[in-house]
Amino acid sequence: MGVYDKCAVFGIFGNRYAANLTYLGLHALQHRGQESSGIISTDSDQFYSYKGRGLVSEIFTKEIIESLKGNIAIGHNRYSTTGASSLNNVQPFAAHFKNGDIAIAHNGNLINSESTRHQLIEEGAIFHTTSDTENFLHLLAKSQYYDLPEALSAVFSKVKGAYSLVLMTKDSLIGVRDPYGIRPLSLGKLGDSYILSSESCAFDLIGASLIRDIEPGEMLFITTGGLKSYSFANEKPAACIFEYVYFARPDSLLWGKSVYSIRKKMGAILAEESTVDSDIVIPVPDSGIPAALGYAEKSGISFQMGLMRNHYVGRTFIEPSQSIRHFGVKLKLNPIRSVVEGRTVTVVDDSIVRGTTSKKIIKMIKEAGAKKVHMRISSPPFISPCFYGIDTPTRRELIASSHTVEEIRKYITADSLNFLSLEGMLKAAGKKEFCTACFTQNYPIKLESEPAYGTPLPFL
Ligand code: AMP
């Protein structure tokens, strides 16, 4: 059983504060993974590594950062998943090779990782982790090529799935996006230093500027000689639309567009499609805020903050059974009675996955005295699990995989429920080829069989 990560990667080349800037970059990318983080740096002589569990700010101290020497560094934030949370699985991973030392950090999921791993073990490989990312290293070790671009291209021809990678040798930083470009990876510049980051919000924090995205099927080598780009595949791109819906930070520029603007547009189109007479529009914070703003602006209904979010919620330390998990929403969100009492309220959120959150929120708002609660969702029904790196529950747990909109409305006890249409979502996201598998079941990379998959969403 592999570990399914939805993560953040960061890398920097040619900066005397490489580890410190990587630490800051990981901090800005914390929303992409909160379970563990690691940084590996190099001074061209050797690798220096530190990994830990928890938030970036909890793991690294000034002394640790100072011990991570050199001008090149890569870092990784890992998303929380059940099981297999040992330090062994914390990235980046480093290994010694015939072509020199190499370190790797990965965002995404491989869909042929089990069969590849099985074959590698049959052939004598000894795995140190349960992460699919280790496959890259074993495949590289077995490569017939000494030239790194050639060897890596050969590796990529054997792996299937989603991978945005940052790799590091003693004298280079390498950025890679899988042939479909499912997960993001951007290139930035700070003075003479080059930076790779899952999202551009990390560039803002350290004062770097965004240059461009790494292209699908591109491998970009950054050395003292400059940049060298290789194309190792040519597929129809399929960037993950759910990055725009929920996952990326609104202050990031993703694939050339502001995530915030796209979310607002999704909300505006949702209002065009399904405005319902209400006294106020309230978002589910934080994820629903831009869409609710767009919805309110378009519908002309007053935008209010009717739910307050507690940002400091960790865990409930209670058995994570479905019934007790309901409690989690209350720990995180609380209605403002004076805003909702006696009013007809439209609540906007970005997605319904299991339906647990919406159900609990509507109950809370009604208990706080709302007359009616209409639910509006700024994406289509989430009908199918993601196998490319967004952590989703199993198909069975996805409420929209087996229930109609009317059945979901009844379950969450909303007075009305509407989802954004697929066309509306794509219109908001603009002209681009997307992976919409979670909403359409059209998987751009075909699965051999549906893997057992899914963990409780940490939101709950
Ligand atoms: P659910 O209760 O399962 O319907 O969860 C829906 C809520 O979880 C929405 O408020 C979303 O913003 C949020 N959400 C959607 N996808 C994810 C994810 N992959 N991880 C964590 N939270 C998510």
Side-chain angles (χ1 to χ4, degrees), residues 1-17:
M1 187 53 213
V3 174
Y4 297 97
D5 297 333
K6 134 175 121 83
C7 307
V9 294
F10 186 92
I12 181 160
F13 181 91
N15 196 294
R16 56 193 282 240
Y17 302 109

Side-chain angles (χ1 to χ4, degrees), residues 176-378:
V176 179
R177 267 176 87 206
D178 68 68
Y180 300 85
I182 293 178
R183 305 257 75 87
L185 186 62
S186 299
L187 174 70
K189 203 164 183 212
L190 174 65
D192 294 331
S193 318
Y194 284 101
I195 303 165
L196 295 166
S197 173
S198 290
E199 287 182 44
S200 69
C201 61
F203 298 153
D204 297 341
L205 177 64
I206 59 173
S209 48
L210 171 67
I211 299 178
R212 65 172 177 90
D213 292 319
I214 304 301
E215 295 298 322
E218 180 184 2
M219 178 165 53
L220 182 73
F221 274 69
I222 305 166
T223 63
T224 46
L227 306 184
K228 196 156 183 203
S229 169
Y230 302 82
S231 171
F232 63 88
N234 189 14
E235 297 287 351
K236 199 167 143 221
C240 166
I241 193 106
F242 204 67
E243 292 272 356
Y244 275 154
V245 169
Y246 167 78
F247 201 27
R249 243 171 67 159
D251 51 338
S252 285
L253 275 173
L254 202 65
W255 304 314
K257 294 216 164 130
S258 151
V259 174
Y260 175 79
S261 307
I262 285 177
R263 285 191 193 155
K264 253 190 100 177
K265 229 180 253 174
M266 286 171 173
I269 297 174
L270 180 64
E272 279 171 12
E273 291 179 353
S274 61
T275 290
V276 54
D277 194 27
S278 293
D279 298 316
I280 53 171
V281 174
I282 68 166
V284 175
D286 294 328
S287 57
I289 293 174
L293 277 166
Y295 184 100
E297 225 170 73
K298 194 69 180 182
S299 63
I301 301 169
S302 161
F303 174 91
Q304 301 285 332
M305 290 300 288
L307 287 164
M308 268 337 274
R309 178 171 165 186
N310 184 334
H311 284 265
Y312 308 99
V313 178
R315 294 178 185 171
T316 51
F317 301 109
I318 302 172
E319 281 292 295
S321 74
Q322 182 68 14
S323 58
I324 287 168
R325 239 191 277 131
H326 285 215
F327 186 64
V329 178
K330 255 190 168 168
L331 278 175
K332 195 160 178 175
L333 295 169
N334 193 35
I336 302 177
R337 183 174 279 273
S338 60
V339 174
V340 300
E341 196 165 27
R343 299 217 160 89
T344 295
V345 180
T346 293
V347 181
V348 179
D349 201 0
D350 67 281
S351 56
I352 288 181
V353 182
R354 276 179 300 231
T356 325
T357 307
S358 303
K359 187 181 173 72
K360 204 68 199 171
I361 284 170
I362 292 169
K363 186 163 179 271
M364 286 192 307
I365 296 172
K366 286 196 170 163
E367 280 170 4
K371 247 190 341 213
K372 279 187 175 180
V373 181
H374 301 290
M375 194 79 200
R376 293 293 179 272
I377 303 295
S378 60

Side-chain angles (χ1 to χ4, degrees), residues 416-437:
S416 75
L417 168 67
N418 277 89
F419 290 85
L420 179 62
S421 67
L422 182 68
E423 302 70 48
M425 178 180 68
L426 291 170
K427 190 173 160 204
K431 283 195 193 70
K432 195 171 167 60
E433 308 266 21
F434 287 103
C435 172
T436 57

